[in-house]
Amino acid sequence: TGLSGVQREIHHIVVNSWERGVDAEQNVVLISVPSMLDPSLAPEGKHTLHAYLPATEPYALWEGIDRNSEKYRQLKEERSQILWRAVEKVIPDIRQRAEISLVGTPLTHARFLRRHRGSYGPAIMAGQGTFPGPSTPIPGLFCCGDSTFPGIGLPAVAASGAICANTQASVAQHWAMLDAIGV
């Protein structure tokens, strides 16, 4: 339900231990509340929240488990607790407020997103490479999403879409459009 009485920022990052590093298993949780920017993403008086681990959930834990089994349901419940605890740091009573909770796993990503081993975007280590930009060798074809710059996560994917759109219009065209709409 609504977020009266709690922090109203759009994005949060919870790091449980800086000593373990940001790439440690279940150590960093990213939280995005996109309905803070666009209220149409949730019913009136409510919000949509997305919490996720930045590609640090080991696929080996999930490999070979039947998605319809009790073992899968138990592992899903156990492994999702890190997300709930992180969100509780921002919204202490989130478990009482949440009306719908959908938990995805690496098996969910593999099945519905067709991601190799349930990946959540490519793992490119800082200083060892960069995400590609929106251009492709095919004229008029552009790419955006978690496999392009700036990378994984809801804010980065939204930014990749904006970057892609911005590459298709010159600065002069941007100014003309802004003038036309009175901004």
Side-chain angles (χ1 to χ4, degrees):
T1 59
L3 294 178
S4 59
V6 299
Q7 295 184 33
R8 308 272 303 170
E9 289 83 13
I10 299 158
H11 303 295
H12 303 269
I13 299 175
V14 175
V15 179
N16 293 303
S17 168
W18 285 104
E19 291 76 29
R20 290 183 56 213
V22 296
D23 59 348
E25 181 180 321
Q26 290 211 323
N27 190 38
V28 176
V29 177
L30 289 94
I31 302 165
S32 180
V33 188
S35 54
M36 296 291 284
L37 288 177
D38 182 354
S40 73
L41 296 174
E44 187 174 339
K46 301 184 186 303
H47 285 280
T48 300
L49 184 144
H50 178 219
Y52 60 97
L53 302 170
T56 58
E57 181 68 3
Y59 186 75
L61 290 174
W62 302 90
E63 196 164 20
I65 296 177
D66 178 355
R67 290 185 328 273
N68 297 313
S69 70
E70 184 59 29
K71 180 179 179 180
Y72 178 74
R73 281 186 286 284
Q74 288 174 353
L75 187 59
K76 190 173 172 178
E77 175 65 24
E78 172 192 322
R79 299 298 287 186
S80 71
Q81 292 309 302
I82 189 73
L83 302 171
W84 285 107
R85 287 190 301 270
V87 174
E88 285 171 333
K89 291 181 180 183
V90 179
I91 308 168
D93 60 347
I94 185 61
R95 293 183 202 230
Q96 290 77 41
R97 289 175 181 256
E99 295 180 12
I100 298 172
S101 172
L102 302 173
V103 177
T105 70
L107 296 182
T108 308
H109 291 185
R111 180 177 183 206
F112 292 104
L113 304 176
R114 310 219 6 109
R115 299 318 280 279
H116 175 68
R117 297 179 60 81
S119 69
Y120 201 83
I124 299 175
M125 299 296 290
Q128 296 183 6
T130 59
F131 286 92
S135 299
T136 70
I138 301 169
L141 177 65
F142 296 89
C143 294
C144 64
D146 67 357
S147 297
T148 63
F149 180 82
I152 67 171
L154 191 104
V157 168
S160 79
I163 291 167
C164 183
N166 288 334
T167 62
Q168 299 177 54
S170 69
V171 173
Q173 290 171 309
H174 283 241
W175 281 112
M177 186 272 308
L178 291 171
D179 287 341
I181 63 171
V183 175

